[in-house]
């Protein structure tokens, strides 16, 4: 895949970039190695000042970088602005909290004596250069939620971003440079996927984090496993959105539209499978379908647009194939189900779609729908709701709508997911751990869990 900015609203190639040569990659790796040896000794106060400065610059750049993101991958401009603001918030959160999160841990004195020591503690040290293989769907946020904790912990970053968002990738390197980070602490590597293996196998790279597809995760995990290097993987999701009889159905349907259509439906944590108790199924289906139909599809630069184009023609065509397969096998189209008729036929748009009557024989029952397509399931009771919710290879997050405490406890206990959001939609926040189970990956981002992923938890044992 060429490294290029292609506007998904028009299909027009706006700018192309040369891939780094092997010599260029070597220079970046050498710079990262040298930078880590110095940067790892900086204080939390030093790192916090740099990250705060980067946050301030990003805040000032919000409009420009939002337009760059929208141009490169098609998200509505309003959503792009919100993404930039979220990154600023996360940077400032880690600048304020990293020292506390990585403070030495001291076991109880009795346990220290039992270990034969006078003093003992756990001390957190950075691992080194971390390779980040990042996706296009949240081209700023996905990187910042890795970079902010990694840099505050004393690591340095090597970014291999998706090939269709090169200007966003280069902006990130420039942002950290302008903030005053030393040379080599954060670098963007304009390389294709074939270069990842060689970089990851290099002895100077300590670990890797990847957000992306299941095949990409398998590849990076296999290489890192062969090299015995730490990885964090955040892969696909097919999150359930369960609605029980005690739910506020109007509110659930309203939030469901946002949960499915956010980011043009291209989000791993977007709700995708809507599992509704039969007692409220008809009411929910009517309201949800009406809400999806009411969404405005159009130019993502327009303030009134709710859903822009999908990021690539292949992505749009793959989504259409899933819908067509389901319809051929008996699914009912409640709305959408096609490419919209547009005066300007260019661009990779797809109508917000709701499908009912889904069966396990349909591809869409198991495969992730990366676009504004929702599937509806009718269930008889909580047992069936849990069964359908867990009937997926993925386990990223989940949404549950109920005002019954017994329901809440059951879902928290039994849903196979990295998160359970009750009466609200899944959203990431710097203070809360984020990640999944099953084929959605392993490890955690954000919070104290995320910052410790790329640290060496060092036991310090001392006798007098």
């Amino acid at each position: 895949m060429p490294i290029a900015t292609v506007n998904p609203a028009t299909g027009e190639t706006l700018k192309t970039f040369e891939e780094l040569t092997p010599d260029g990659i070597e220079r970046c790796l050498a710079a990262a190695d040298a930078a880590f040896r110095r940067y790892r000794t900086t204080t939390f106060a030093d790192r916090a000042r740099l990250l705060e400065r980067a946050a301030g610059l990003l805040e000032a750049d919000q409009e420009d970088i939002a337009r760059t993101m929208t141009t490169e991958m098609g998200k509505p401009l309003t959503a792009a602005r919100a993404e930039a603001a979220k990154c600023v918030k996360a940077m400032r959160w880690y600048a304020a909290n990293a020292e506390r999160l990585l403070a030495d841990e001291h076991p109880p004195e009795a346990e220290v004596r039992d270990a034969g020591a006078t003093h003992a503690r756990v001390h957190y040290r950075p691992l080194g250069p971390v390779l980040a293989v990042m996706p296009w769907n949240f081209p700023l946020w996905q990187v910042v939620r890795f970079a902010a904790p990694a840099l505050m912990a004393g690591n340095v970053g090597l970014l291999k971003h998706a090939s269709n968002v090169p200007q966003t990738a280069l902006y990130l390197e420039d942002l950290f440079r302008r903030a005053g980070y030393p040379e080599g602490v954060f670098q963007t590597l304009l390389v294709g996927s074939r270069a990842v293996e060689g970089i990851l196998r290099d002895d100077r790279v300590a670990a890797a984090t990847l957000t992306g597809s299941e095949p990409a995760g398998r590849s990076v995990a296999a290489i890192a496993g062969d090299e015995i290097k730490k990885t964090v993987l955040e892969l696909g999701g097919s999150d359930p959105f369960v609605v029980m009889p005690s739910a506020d159905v109007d509110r659930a349907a309203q939030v469901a539209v946002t949960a499915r259509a956010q980011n043009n439906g291209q989000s791993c944590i977007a709700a995708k499978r809507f599992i509704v108790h039969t007692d409220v199924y008809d009411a929910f289906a009517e309201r949800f379908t009406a809400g999806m139909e009411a969404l405005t599809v159009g130019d993502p630069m327009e303030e009134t647009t709710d859903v822009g184009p999908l990021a690539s023609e292949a992505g749009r065509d793959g989504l259409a194939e899933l819908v067509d397969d389901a319809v051929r096998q008996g699914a009912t189209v409640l709305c959408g189900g096609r490419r919209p008729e547009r005066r300007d036929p260019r661009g990779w748009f797809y109508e917000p779609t709701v499908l009912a009557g889904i069966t396990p024989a349909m591809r869409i029952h198991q495969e992730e729908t990366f676009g504004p397509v929702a599937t509806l399931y009718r269930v008889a009771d909580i047992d069936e709701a849990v069964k359908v919710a867990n009937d997926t290879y993925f386990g990223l997050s989940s949404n549950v709508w109920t005002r019954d405490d017994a329901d809440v406890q059951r879902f928290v206990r039994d849903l196979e997911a990295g998160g359970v959001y009750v009466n609200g939609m899944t959203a990431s926040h710097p203070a809360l751990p984020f990640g999944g189970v099953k084929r959605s990956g392993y490890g955690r981002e954000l919070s104290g869990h995320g910052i410790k992923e790329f640290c060496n938890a060092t036991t310090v044992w001392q006798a007098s």
Side-chain angles (χ1 to χ4, degrees), residues 39 42 44-57 91 95 152 175-176 179-182 185:
Y39 184 70
T42 58
F44 282 109
D46 292 335
R47 298 171 201 164
R49 279 192 293 271
L50 290 169
L51 193 58
E52 277 283 359
R53 200 173 302 152
L57 291 169
M91 287 176 165
M152 282 304 301
L175 173 70
F176 289 115
Y181 280 87
V185 170

Side-chain angles (χ1 to χ4, degrees), residues 94-232:
Y94 271 109
N97 290 284
E99 185 170 11
R100 171 182 61 84
L101 297 171
L102 294 180
D104 286 356
E105 297 174 5
H106 298 271
E109 287 187 14
E111 294 177 8
V112 172
R113 290 195 300 271
D114 189 59
T118 306
H119 305 284
R121 59 192 170 98
V122 178
H123 180 67
Y124 290 96
R125 297 187 291 174
L127 293 181
V130 179
L131 173 64
V133 182
M134 293 287 109
W136 48 261
N137 57 334
F138 292 94
L140 204 65
W141 170 241
Q142 300 281 9
V143 178
V144 166
R145 77 184 193 188
F146 139 73
L151 296 180
M152 282 304 301
N155 296 295
V156 303
L158 293 163
L159 171 63
K160 186 279 181 231
H161 217 324
S163 294
N164 60 332
V165 290
Q167 294 187 66
T168 305
L170 290 170
Y171 167 81
L172 284 156
E173 180 180 76
D174 184 61
L175 173 70
F176 289 115
R177 179 192 59 77
R178 287 188 289 134
Y181 280 87
E183 181 183 355
V185 170
F186 186 93
Q187 299 176 85
T188 287
L189 311 182
L190 288 185
V191 296
S193 57
R194 287 177 297 181
V196 169
E197 179 170 359
I199 296 168
L200 185 50
R201 289 191 184 279
D202 191 282
D203 287 342
R204 291 165 292 191
V205 174
T209 180
L210 177 141
T211 299
S213 69
E214 185 183 336
R218 288 179 184 275
S219 175
V220 165
I223 296 165
D226 190 48
E227 296 291 336
I228 317 179
K229 294 182 179 181
K230 175 71 179 289
T231 54
V232 170

Side-chain angles (χ1 to χ4, degrees), residues 23 40 54 157 194 209 240 266 299 303 325 351 403 418 431 435 459:
D23 285 346
R40 66 188 295 274
R194 287 177 297 181
T209 180
Q266 299 167 125
D299 182 349
E303 300 287 343
D325 171 77
E351 290 182 339
R403 288 179 282 201
T459 297

